[in-house]
Each structure stands twice: as structure tokens, then as C-alpha cells.
């Protein structure tokens, strides 16, 4: 017969470990770069943009190019954050798949 109390305790421990991992990963940052370093975007593990740096030589009349470079840098940082979160959650759950469960951030 299943030990319900044991399963509940394990679930609570996993939940606590996941929360700890989310907090730890949320504090980490990833940088996306485009245009040979002309545009840099930094995101935290919660996918919040912390900073953006734009080489002053880019600011001119070509706003479309600048917008494209910002988008590329943001996307690059976003992909890195997604990978970091995926690996962190895999470690936190001991490799147990969560069936596409979306995390709170």
C-alpha cells in the first residue's frame, strides 16, 4: 500500500527545492549581444530586462537597424535564460519531468 504521508513529504521537499532553485536562478543574469557588441541586453532568470547598452555610434537615422539589433540581443539573452531555467529545474527535480508545467515566472 502507498505511504501517502511519505509521498506528501517528498512532494513538499521537492516543492521547497524547486522554490530555492527558482530564487537562485532568478538572481542570475544572462547577456545577449548583437551587432558585434554594439547592442547588449542583460536579463535576469525571471526574464526581466535589467539593462541595455547601445553603442553611441549606432544612434543615427537608421532606427530600424537599431530596433533589429535590440531584438536580436534580447532574444539571445532570453534563450540563454530559458536554457538556464530548464537545467536548474531538471537538477531541482532530480530529472523528473513535470509534463510541461509552466513555472511562476
Amino acid at each position: 500500500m502507498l505511504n501517502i504521508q511519505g509521498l506528501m513529504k517528498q512532494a513538499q521537499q521537492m516543492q521547497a527545492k524547486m522554490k530555492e532553485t527558482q530564487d537562485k536562478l532568478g538572481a542570475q543574469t544572462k547577456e545577449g549581444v548583437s551587432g558585434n557588441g554594439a547592442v547588449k541586453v542583460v536579463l535576469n532568470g525571471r526574464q526581466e530586462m535589467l539593462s541595455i547598452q547601445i553603442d553611441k555610434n549606432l544612434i543615427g537615422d537608421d532606427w530600424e537597424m537599431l530596433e533589429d539589433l535590440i531584438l536580436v540581443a534580447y532574444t539571445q539573452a532570453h534563450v540563454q535564460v530559458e536554457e538556464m531555467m530548464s537545467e536548474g529545474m531538471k537538477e531541482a527535480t532530480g530529472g523528473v519531468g513535470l509534463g510541461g508545467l509552466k513555472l511562476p515566472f
Side-chain angles (χ1 to χ4, degrees):
M1 185 167 272
L2 292 175
N3 180 349
I4 299 297
Q5 288 179 327
L7 288 175
M8 291 298 290
K9 185 175 181 178
Q10 284 181 328
Q12 288 173 340
Q13 289 172 341
M14 183 181 282
Q15 185 178 23
K17 187 167 183 166
M18 287 178 62
K19 171 74 170 118
E20 179 183 320
T21 301
Q22 287 174 339
D23 291 343
K24 183 175 99 176
L25 294 173
Q28 294 182 24
T29 62
K30 294 294 179 181
E31 180 180 80
V33 180
S34 66
N36 291 323
V39 175
K40 297 178 183 178
V41 172
V42 176
L43 302 181
N44 66 16
R46 289 183 176 80
Q47 301 178 17
E48 300 163 333
M49 189 182 303
L50 300 178
S51 68
I52 182 168
Q53 296 175 340
I54 302 170
D55 184 319
K56 292 177 184 16
N57 294 326
L58 284 180
I59 300 176
D61 294 332
D62 196 355
W63 283 99
E64 287 181 21
M65 181 185 72
L66 179 57
E67 290 169 347
D68 289 344
L69 289 172
I70 291 170
L71 181 60
V72 168
Y74 175 85
T75 301
Q76 186 183 79
H78 185 268
V79 166
Q80 291 179 39
V81 168
E82 287 287 324
E83 291 170 354
M84 176 184 68
M85 295 303 294
S86 177
E87 285 300 313
M89 287 297 105
K90 191 182 302 180
E91 289 176 22
T93 62
V96 174
L98 299 178
L101 177 68
K102 280 301 232 179
L103 301 174
F105 51 82

